[in-house]
Amino acid sequence: MHYDPNNIFAKILEGKIPCHKVYEDDAVLSFMDIMPRSPGHLLVIPKTPARNLLDIAPDDLAATIRRVQLIALAAKKALGAEGITLQQFSEAAGGQEVFHLHFHILPRWEGVRLAAPHPPQADHKVLAEQAAKIRAVLEGQS
Ligand code: 5GP
């Protein structure tokens, strides 16, 4: 299985497709999922061209997961969530649809179920507001 540089997240990394950015540094980019399965559903992707969990170099994976924890904590705080669900799908058989490694961070509340896969696209105003709230928490920590 090879890395296809024409995938949609590679285009977001190159700035060719817009996103509601939450966080960026030398190792990762994080942005809101446009079809959120929970309020505040966001994605963290490494900048290195990895297809999924199965081909990323261990050091790049370690750098990515450190940022996943940082952003999960900020999202939980910013949105007043009670918990976090972390998802990562590798290969089509594993549920992967976009073939650039990504971690899903899903803020959760007691008794509130995740939406089924492929919900309607979210209102961009709402995504922008959520991203701004999470960014504000992250910026307050730096
Ligand atoms: P997976 O590959 O883990 O099954 O899911 C890919 C995820 O990417 C889905 O949750 C989907 O909503 C999200 N997604 C697909 N296309 C775009 C896009 O153009 N922008 C953003 N922000 N998210 C996307």
Side-chain angles (χ1 to χ4, degrees):
M1 290 297 177
H2 69 288
Y3 179 79
D4 174 6
N6 291 317
N7 74 78
I8 200 147
F9 292 169
K11 293 193 169 118
I12 288 177
L13 270 176
E14 290 166 14
K16 290 181 180 159
I17 291 179
C19 68
H20 295 282
K21 193 188 291 187
V22 170
Y23 179 86
E24 182 171 17
D25 64 14
D26 57 328
V28 304
L29 176 68
S30 175
F31 52 91
M32 306 308 294
D33 194 305
I34 49 168
M35 288 176 271
R37 295 188 60 196
S38 75
H41 179 176
L42 57 90
L43 303 168
V44 182
I45 70 174
K47 289 194 169 173
T48 191
R51 182 175 162 92
N52 55 42
L53 184 75
L54 306 176
D55 68 335
I56 189 169
D59 285 350
D60 290 330
L61 176 61
T64 304
I65 204 74
R66 291 177 73 90
R67 274 72 167 184
V68 167
Q69 184 191 38
L70 177 82
I71 297 161
L73 283 164
K76 181 173 179 289
K77 184 173 176 183
L79 303 178
E82 296 167 329
I84 293 289
T85 295
L86 183 65
Q87 292 182 325
Q88 198 290 310
F89 306 121
S90 288
E91 298 302 329
Q96 186 173 14
E97 293 179 355
V98 178
F99 292 91
H100 181 113
L101 173 62
H102 52 281
F103 288 90
H104 298 256
I105 295 175
L106 297 135
R108 302 297 302 276
W109 289 263
E110 284 296 338
V112 181
R113 291 188 177 189
L114 286 184
H118 308 117
Q121 278 206 22
D123 180 340
H124 282 276
K125 189 165 170 282
V126 172
L127 295 181
E129 284 167 4
Q130 290 167 338
K133 281 186 189 169
I134 302 167
R135 277 199 312 272
V137 170
L138 287 163
E139 283 160 14
Q141 290 168 355
S142 59

